[in-house]
Amino acid sequence: MADKPRIKLPKEAKKGEIIQIKTLVSHLMESGQRKDAQGKPIPRKIINKFSCEFNSKPVFSCALEPAISANPYIQFDARIDEEGTFRFAWTDDDGSVVTAEEKIALKA
Amino acid sequence: MGAINRRQAFLLGGGFVALTVLPMAANAEPSNDAAELIKKFTGGKEATKGKITFDLPEIAENGNTVPLALTVESPMTAENYVKEVLFVADGNPNAGVATLMFTPMSGKAEASIRIRLAQTQNVIAVAKMSDGSLFTERKTVKVTIGGCGG
């Protein structure tokens, strides 16, 4: 999970505007169903949780299962009432968390 | 009609693959924990059909990554919004796919993800509203190549 997550959202929005946010993080999302060359099952290792907060208030989050494709892509919306910072977090099965932040300004 | 060209040979090969894969899919266990997961989510209450629309391809060529786009009808205000949407797939080794959690700050109850489908099966969505009401929708997806390794 060394790669930086990719996040796409507008730099500014009008007050009350609903914007679309696209996120993608590189991860194998090992399902736990596959077997290695020796026939031993490969243990499950996935991103099991994603969350997005805006100015420390929850916007959107999701619990993910092994049925999510590798390099999980998540797209959702957010209503902008004030300028501030989005905080994104991806939680791995091993407990590590990858975070990212994006700022958004209000259009004059 | 002369000798079989490369393209025809390729198509023939593809046909054989499909033939050998299909019986496997048909033999696979059709039932998993889908019903239990839904029951746990709804608390045993009945969900009404409606309010949810989700887009999934009718035929997924590659079960490893199937685009899924969800829209739930809701004003998304502090008094009336979509709280959670559960997705299950009744033909995967594990039924759980994802649970999406919205807030009034989401603005719209819309989201897109990409999912894995092991075989041809139903994908079922159940939405829980802020007032506790429940809605459901299901779709059948034909899967050409399964996406759970194996």
Side-chain angles (χ1 to χ4, degrees):
Chain A
M1 288 222 307
D3 289 2
K4 204 172 164 273
R6 279 187 278 166
I7 300 163
K8 210 171 171 187
L9 78 168
K11 288 264 169 287
E12 49 177 24
K14 286 197 210 84
K15 191 175 160 66
E17 193 182 337
I18 295 168
I19 59 154
Q20 191 175 69
I21 303 175
K22 295 173 178 176
T23 71
L24 189 133
V25 66
S26 298
H27 196 284
L28 200 55
M29 297 293 276
E30 190 58 64
S31 70
Q33 300 292 331
R34 298 200 303 164
K35 293 188 171 79
D36 65 13
Q38 279 77 45
K40 279 189 294 199
I42 304 171
R44 170 187 140 152
K45 190 178 187 298
I46 66 165
I47 302 270
N48 57 42
K49 193 176 185 299
F50 165 77
S51 68
C52 169
E53 291 180 346
F54 182 65
N55 292 346
S56 307
K57 285 176 286 217
V59 173
F60 173 85
S61 63
C62 53
L64 305 174
E65 303 288 339
I68 298 297
S69 306
N71 304 329
Y73 166 80
I74 303 166
Q75 181 207 306
F76 55 95
D77 292 288
R79 201 185 59 230
I80 305 298
D81 289 323
E82 55 184 350
E83 62 174 22
T85 310
F86 282 102
R87 190 167 188 277
F88 306 89
W90 292 260
T91 311
D92 193 292
D93 270 349
D94 68 12
S96 62
V97 181
V98 170
T99 58
E101 285 189 355
E102 291 287 338
K103 283 191 172 28
I104 190 161
L106 279 188
K107 240 180 235 176
Chain B
M1 292 291 281
I4 295 176
N5 64 28
R6 271 171 61 106
R7 181 163 297 180
Q8 282 165 335
F10 181 75
L11 284 175
L12 269 174
F16 280 120
V17 170
L19 276 175
T20 48
V21 167
L22 277 175
M24 261 172 61
N27 289 339
E29 191 72 9
S31 61
N32 54 15
D33 52 341
E36 287 105 274
L37 281 179
I38 294 174
K39 214 176 152 194
K40 215 172 125 192
F41 184 78
T42 61
K45 274 188 273 177
E46 200 67 32
T48 346
K49 201 171 151 60
K51 292 228 182 194
I52 306 175
T53 7
F54 64 92
D55 279 341
L56 262 175
E58 262 177 55
I59 299 171
E61 279 184 20
N62 180 358
N64 265 315
T65 164
V66 185
L68 166 64
L70 164 84
T71 309
V72 189
E73 231 177 86
S74 164
M76 294 306 275
T77 57
E79 299 78 37
N80 183 358
Y81 64 97
V82 182
K83 256 187 151 161
E84 283 177 78
V85 180
L86 170 81
F87 276 105
V88 297
D90 69 0
N92 271 359
N94 300 305
V97 174
T99 311
L100 313 180
M101 283 153 271
F102 297 95
T103 70
M105 279 180 71
S106 306
K108 286 186 203 169
E110 287 187 16
S112 293
I113 50 174
R114 289 172 190 157
I115 65 170
R116 287 174 174 148
L117 296 172
Q119 59 180 24
T120 297
Q121 57 181 292
N122 298 308
V123 175
I124 303 148
V126 188
K128 199 184 275 174
M129 306 298 182
S130 52
D131 64 358
S133 59
L134 297 159
F135 294 92
T136 185
E137 184 61 76
R138 65 165 60 215
K139 271 219 166 126
T140 307
V141 187
K142 288 194 176 74
V143 177
T144 321
I145 303 166
C148 279

